[in-house]
C-alpha cells in the first residue's frame, strides 16, 4: 500500500528506457500492469493531505482566537507561515502599523 511506497531517485532510472503507448482494441479491454489504476495518485495526494491537515489546524486556532480576516495560505507551509496565519495575541504584537512602516521590508516573499 501507500505506506510502503519508496520514492524513486535519479539512480532508479534505467540507462536505456523505451516507452510505447498501448492502443487497445476495446476501451474496456485495457491490459494494465497487475490491473493497476492511477499509480501516481497515492504518493501525490498523501503529500497534499498534510498541507490540508495543517490548514485545518490553523483554521481551528484562528477560530479560537476570533480571527476575522480571510485565511490565505501558500505552499510551502513553513513554521513561520503557520505561526503568522494563526493570528493570536503574540502575532499581533509583531505587526507594524501602516503609518510607521518605512522603506523596503527586510524580507520579501517570492
Amino acid at each position: 500500500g501507500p505506506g510502503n511506497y519508496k520514492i524513486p531517485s535519479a539512480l532508479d532510472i534505467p540507462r536505456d528506457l523505451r516507452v510505447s503507448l498501448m492502443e487497445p482494441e476495446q476501451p474496456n479491454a485495457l491490459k494494465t500492469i497487475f490491473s493497476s489504476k492511477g499509480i501516481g495518485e497515492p504518493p501525490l495526494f498523501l503529500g497534499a493531505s498534510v498541507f490540508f491537515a495543517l490548514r485545518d489546524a490553523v483554521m481551528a486556532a484562528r477560530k479560537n482566537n476570533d480571527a476575522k480576516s480571510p485565511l490565505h495560505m501558500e505552499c510551502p507551509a513553513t513554521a513561520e507561515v503557520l505561526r503568522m496565519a494563526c493570528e493570536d495575541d503574540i502575532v499581533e504584537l509583531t505587526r507594524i502599523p501602516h503609518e510607521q512602516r518605512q522603506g523596503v521590508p527586510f524580507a520579501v516573499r517570492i
Side-chain angles (χ1 to χ4, degrees):
N4 297 329
Y5 179 75
K6 181 182 174 192
I7 299 172
S9 69
L11 299 175
D12 294 326
I13 301 171
R15 289 181 186 248
D16 185 14
L17 178 66
R18 298 172 193 224
V19 178
S20 62
L21 301 176
M22 296 175 22
E23 294 184 19
E25 297 174 7
Q26 300 172 3
N28 295 331
L30 270 178
K31 296 178 182 177
T32 58
I33 302 169
F34 300 117
S35 300
S36 63
K37 298 175 184 80
I39 310 169
E41 292 174 11
L44 177 66
F45 195 69
L46 284 176
S49 65
V50 173
F51 176 79
F52 293 118
L54 290 171
R55 186 193 65 175
D56 290 347
V58 167
M59 288 174 62
R62 289 169 60 90
K63 185 176 180 181
N64 287 342
N65 298 326
D66 294 326
K68 304 292 184 217
S69 62
L71 174 63
H72 176 76
M73 282 182 53
E74 296 179 1
C75 286
T78 61
E80 178 187 10
V81 168
L82 294 171
R83 183 71 177 105
M84 296 301 286
C86 289
E87 291 195 12
D88 60 359
D89 296 337
I90 297 172
V91 171
E92 288 304 316
L93 291 174
T94 65
R95 297 203 191 279
I96 301 172
H98 186 68
E99 58 274 358
Q100 292 180 1
R101 295 181 189 172
Q102 298 175 4
V104 180
F106 68 93
V108 178
R109 271 191 91 91
I110 298 176

